[in-house]
Amino acid sequence: MSSDEIYRYGAVNAGLLDQTFALQWVQSYIHLFGGNASQVTISGNSAGAGSVMLQAMAYYAFAAAVGCFDGYPQGNISNSIFQCLVNKDTDTLQNASASISGSSRYGTWGFLPVTDGRFIQQLPSQQLLEKRVNGRRILSGNNANEGPLFTPQNIVTEDDFVNFLRNAFPLFTEDDIARVLLYYPSTNASVSLDDPEFATSGSMGATAINQSTFGTGQQQRANNVYAETTFVCPSYWLAEAFTNNSRVGWKYQYSVTPAQHGADPNSYLGPPDPNQGPDFNRAFMTIYGNFITNNDPSIPAELAAGTSGNSPQTQNSSNPSINDPSPDQPNAAANWPPYTLAAPYQLNLNQSGGIAFEAPPYPGLPIFDNVTEFRDPGLRNDFSLVNAYTWEGGRGLRCDFWRSVGRIVPE
């Protein structure tokens, strides 16, 4: 929760401050558990990933390091609305929180971190551009289909899509809307229920602008706008922010069909889903483990290939948007280069083969009905190094656009 009174009398971004306090506790006591205070890794998924980004930007981390912050950034409490809130019991506050959150527009949230000029100094898109971050290394990722869970699934015509944009970005002018239509090109035709839904390759053919496992045409246009503004572009900006002053970052995309938001942790944390093969899980877990313990997420080629012995894939040196499965090339996951602006490569984590099956329906989530997935036997790792900037029809260019309008984007 944030407001002018909370800013003056209490603490905005209280959840982030709690996280910072926990990290300070770790710094003070990790040695008692045999740990090293200079080798601390934090991780998060979805909103947790947002917390990792904001902790990487946090001003107090620097201030605390030089002894200028004692953990209590705000002033004294006076009689106010804020004091009234402080005096309320927990159940009342929880019920109010649920009510406010439930009244929000689809895909929006009642309570978010705010740029307060203290803990969060600038808009993330701008501060990350300036590479003003904490930490030394980042492993940043996104899923192929981040948007459908948060996007209204009734967008059929281009007028529907434009209304979606106006609701999602209320500060946009007609010119801003026109620019979105330019960066997300499509015919103005309505969505046909007969259009096939399938995963894109990312580097050729149909792109995520108009095509996915969950939607086509105008619906997918909206799905992808939400995905890129909320989840995907911040993962790009984080990787870009760790490209100077001896910092280093790696980037990946999780593409195992259907690759919806939040699907990837089941693979590296468990328990895995039926569409996540044992070779894939072992490789993904080792990627995270190596990043934490070895400061580099690269894994042995034989582990990346798996017991099925899938051919290694790397970038074609003459065209970074084409994958070359030549067996005399080193495996992409075994030679995973850091992300740089000159060479913005990410590892695409996918599988091939397997037996098709329809995922069980999710209560209240009809978008998962009739989604085809693949399970063992026959699943094989399919890892490839791809150009993240040209990926999915120029995703990097679209992220540059969203950074340029960051001051009028609600989130």
Side-chain angles (χ1 to χ4, degrees), residues 205-402:
T207 73
I209 294 176
N210 303 112
Q211 181 69 55
S212 79
T213 306
F214 292 100
T216 62
Q218 306 299 334
Q219 181 63 65
Q220 177 56 23
R221 219 175 174 187
N223 292 345
N224 196 43
V225 164
Y226 191 99
E228 291 183 349
T229 56
T230 308
F231 301 108
V232 179
C233 291
S235 77
Y236 275 55
W237 300 334
L238 261 177
E240 292 172 6
F242 281 76
T243 57
N244 71 338
N245 296 333
S246 300
R247 295 188 177 96
V248 61
W250 291 266
K251 172 100 178 58
Y252 71 84
Q253 176 169 301
Y254 173 85
S255 298
V256 175
T257 304
Q260 76 275 19
H261 177 77
D264 48 328
N266 290 358
S267 176
Y268 58 81
L269 295 177
D273 293 325
N275 65 329
Q276 297 168 331
D279 285 347
F280 185 91
N281 299 330
R282 191 175 302 110
F284 206 0
M285 284 189 286
T286 307
I287 283 171
Y288 263 84
N290 282 0
F291 173 72
I292 294 169
T293 59
N294 299 335
N295 301 325
D296 187 327
S298 299
I299 60 176
E302 60 273 16
L303 185 60
T307 57
S308 59
N310 195 35
S311 297
Q313 297 202 356
T314 65
Q315 279 285 316
N316 182 298
S317 59
S318 63
N319 188 339
S321 68
I322 298 177
N323 298 322
D324 180 3
S326 173
D328 62 351
Q329 295 289 335
N331 193 287
N335 294 270
W336 187 350
Y339 188 100
T340 68
L341 294 177
Y345 295 140
Q346 67 178 1
L347 192 65
N348 186 41
L349 300 173
N350 207 344
Q351 295 177 138
S352 60
I355 298 174
F357 73 100
E358 285 192 5
Y362 287 66
L365 294 174
I367 61 170
F368 285 99
D369 293 349
N370 303 317
V371 169
T372 300
E373 302 183 28
F374 298 87
R375 57 176 172 81
D376 257 344
L379 288 176
R380 299 184 301 275
N381 289 350
D382 186 3
F383 297 168
S384 56
L385 198 63
V386 300
N387 186 320
Y389 201 83
T390 60
W391 187 247
E392 292 292 6
R395 179 163 275 168
L397 185 64
R398 296 194 295 274
C399 288
D400 290 343
F401 162 70
W402 288 114

Side-chain angles (χ1 to χ4, degrees), residues 19-188:
Q19 294 170 3
T20 299
F21 178 79
L23 289 170
Q24 292 169 341
W25 187 94
V26 169
Q27 288 292 300
S28 298
Y29 299 109
I30 192 172
H31 67 282
L32 299 178
F33 300 88
N36 184 338
S38 66
Q39 293 285 326
V40 175
T41 301
I42 60 174
S43 176
N45 179 62
S46 191
S51 290
V52 171
M53 178 185 73
L54 295 172
Q55 292 296 339
M57 295 169 46
Y59 171 72
Y60 286 123
F62 172 79
V66 296
C68 296
F69 171 59
D70 61 5
Y72 300 94
Q74 312 289 347
N76 294 323
I77 297 173
S78 65
N79 291 325
S80 61
I81 296 174
F82 176 77
Q83 181 63 57
C84 175
L85 292 172
V86 170
N87 292 334
K88 294 296 182 181
D89 62 273
T90 300
D91 287 342
T92 299
L93 295 174
Q94 288 177 338
N95 291 334
S97 174
S99 176
I100 295 297
S101 297
S103 65
S104 301
R105 290 192 306 272
Y106 194 99
T108 64
W109 318 105
F111 304 98
L112 292 167
V114 296
T115 304
D116 60 358
R118 295 184 179 184
F119 190 84
I120 302 176
Q121 294 280 289
Q122 291 178 278
L123 289 173
S125 58
Q126 296 304 309
Q127 186 170 328
L128 294 175
L129 176 64
E130 297 171 10
K131 302 181 182 181
R132 294 173 52 214
V133 292
N134 307 304
R136 299 182 60 84
R137 287 166 290 276
I138 192 79
L139 177 59
S140 177
N142 62 267
N143 291 4
N145 290 303
E146 298 278 12
L149 286 172
F150 309 100
T151 308
Q153 296 297 301
N154 59 354
I155 299 173
V156 177
T157 67
E158 187 167 78
D159 286 343
D160 293 338
F161 177 62
V162 170
N163 287 333
F164 161 76
L165 294 175
R166 288 177 176 145
N167 285 327
F169 310 105
L171 298 181
F172 273 21
T173 65
E174 291 304 309
D175 286 344
D176 295 322
I177 297 291
R179 292 172 68 194
V180 176
L181 297 180
L182 176 66
Y183 280 98
Y184 291 80
S186 177
T187 71
N188 58 6

